[in-house]
Amino acid sequence: MGFNAAPRAVRIGFSPDHQYHGAEARIRHMSLGEWEAVIESDDSGAVEEMAKRLVSWNFTDDNGDPIPATSEGLRQVDTSLVTALKIAWIQSLTGVHSADPLPQSSPSGGPSLVESVPMEPLSESLAS
């Protein structure tokens, strides 16, 4: 039996201290070939690709009516929210999302090796 490697949908959310905390969206990932095409395009290409992959979100308008999770609906959303959503989606594509901090139990690591490198000048060569 094979493994289904089709792009999956991910939930995008924002941390409690983010200005858009509470906004949520589900957006499908993309294949490597699609990703390569997006990173070679301008910024509007990433927004259009994200719009094509929208599955759902909890966005409403001023009247409390749901905004459809479509390309047309995306055009009704505040540009800064669209930008934050796009950045979070791209971070999820690359495996890093700012709303996913390291657990408190994560070790801080050891001392830097750079600190142990001696900084005095080297002795002159005997050949000179």
Side-chain angles (χ1 to χ4, degrees), residues 36-37 78 80 84-85 96 100 105 120-121:
E36 289 172 339
D78 183 271
S80 60
L85 188 63
V96 176
D100 297 329
S105 62
E120 17 349 287

Side-chain angles (χ1 to χ4, degrees), residues 7-104:
R8 59 188 170 85
V10 294
R11 182 188 132 326
I12 304 294
F14 299 97
S15 61
D17 60 337
H18 195 280
Q19 81 180 76
Y20 294 117
H21 176 68
E24 293 182 2
R26 287 193 61 233
I27 308 173
R28 284 187 313 278
H29 274 193
M30 60 180 70
S31 69
L32 179 60
E34 292 165 328
W35 170 248
E36 289 172 339
V38 166
I39 60 174
E40 291 175 4
S41 71
D42 60 8
D43 193 47
S44 65
V47 172
E48 286 303 314
E49 289 299 321
M50 182 180 74
K52 287 193 280 187
R53 289 169 171 71
L54 282 172
V55 175
S56 64
W57 59 23
N58 65 349
F59 300 174
T60 59
D61 63 17
D62 288 338
N63 298 322
D65 297 323
I67 298 173
T70 61
S71 185
E72 294 78 28
L74 190 63
R75 287 178 174 74
Q76 298 176 40
V77 177
D78 183 271
T79 56
S80 60
L81 175 54
V82 172
T83 300
L85 188 63
K86 179 190 72 173
I87 289 169
W89 177 62
I90 290 172
Q91 288 175 339
S92 77
L93 290 170
T94 58
V96 176
H97 189 281
S98 59
D100 297 329
L102 290 174
Q104 293 298 324

